[in-house]
Amino acid sequence: GESVGLHLPTLSVQEGDNSIINCAYSNSASDYFIWYKQESGKGPQFIIDIRSNMDKRQGQRVTVLLNKTVKHLSLQIAATQPGDSAVYFCAEMGGSYIPTFGRGTSLIVHP
Amino acid sequence: SAVISQKPSRDICQRGTSLTIQCQVDSQVTMMFWYRQQPGQSLTLIATANQGSEATYESGFVIDKFPISRPNLTFSTLTVSNMSPEDSSIYLCSVGSKVGNTGELFFGEGSRLTVL
């Protein structure tokens, strides 16, 4: 079946730097994408989403970029803080209301 | 948003036993799901818990192994039956909103099971 995957399993950054977490998806029928953050010992938490009719969406300190041509999704975190340390998952949705989760990237922020 | 309470939060179980995980939501929700997250892995959907009818299982998951109940719109249980060490995992309850086709799922804290 089709899948969602991530390029980098672990990303280490210095506090204050910008972070970019990448995700490749293969289901061309997917029309909705979501980023989740999972802190240690907790369930995933919704961060931001984007629909396929957009290529960029901004939130508070986060930006999601969507490139449908190459089936690529990224999450940019500005001025990364120690509290941003977590595992980040991208997820995609096609015809159902149930997201399919990618592998996850562990973001480590060094003070 | 929805507040989801799961229990137990963690447990250590013996091989061959069964354990039931409870999920309580603070509001009525239409969509309720159970996910499994194996150590260091992503989330895999086990099934959709349907109120008043049998759960809808994903490929690789069967009712005999993971029986699910959903007696009302705020509560569900997942049982992990006849456990083996391979069932050691985090089990997550999740609820979703169909409004606007959103994928904004809300998750419980998870139930971490270790099978010896």
Side-chain angles (χ1 to χ4, degrees), chain B residues 7-21 80 83-85 87-91 110-116:
Chain B
K7 56 181 181 182
S9 58
R10 59 178 63 236
D11 206 341
I12 299 173
C13 309
Q14 295 299 316
R15 181 195 299 261
T17 63
S18 299
L19 182 77
T20 296
I21 302 167
V80 186
M83 286 184 284
S84 67
D87 294 319
S88 297
S89 190
I90 300 171
Y91 293 86
S111 299
R112 183 183 295 271
L113 302 188
T114 302
V115 185
L116 303 178

Side-chain angles (χ1 to χ4, degrees), chain A residues 1-110:
Chain A
E2 299 190 301
S3 63
V4 177
L6 293 174
H7 293 305
L8 298 174
T10 303
L11 177 64
S12 293
V13 301
Q14 290 296 127
E15 181 178 1
D17 288 351
N18 296 331
S19 302
I20 300 176
I21 300 171
N22 296 303
C23 176
Y25 67 95
S26 56
N27 186 351
S28 56
S30 296
D31 57 5
Y32 182 60
F33 304 89
I34 315 106
W35 281 100
Y36 288 88
K37 173 186 180 183
Q38 186 176 27
E39 297 177 68
S40 180
K42 297 186 178 181
Q45 181 181 14
F46 174 95
I47 302 173
I48 191 169
D49 59 359
I50 189 168
R51 299 194 180 280
S52 60
N53 61 351
M54 304 170 68
D55 53 20
K56 180 179 180 179
R57 189 165 188 220
Q58 288 184 294
Q60 187 176 16
R61 281 202 307 119
V62 296
T63 301
V64 56
L65 299 177
L66 175 63
N67 185 331
K68 295 180 288 295
T69 302
V70 296
K71 299 192 186 74
H72 185 266
L73 190 70
S74 69
L75 177 70
Q76 300 179 1
I77 304 174
T80 313
Q81 302 168 359
D84 294 327
S85 294
V87 177
Y88 290 81
F89 294 97
C90 67
E92 55 91 13
M93 288 170 60
S96 77
Y97 292 107
I98 306 171
T100 299
F101 285 81
R103 189 158 57 104
T105 292
S106 175
L107 176 65
I108 300 171
V109 182
H110 300 282

Side-chain angles (χ1 to χ4, degrees), chain B residues 32-51:
Chain B
M32 210 160 180
F33 310 101
W34 286 98
Y35 282 86
R36 182 174 72 183
Q37 186 176 26
Q38 294 178 305
Q41 301 296 314
S42 186
L43 285 77
T44 301
L45 181 66
I46 298 172
T48 301
N50 301 310
Q51 193 265 331

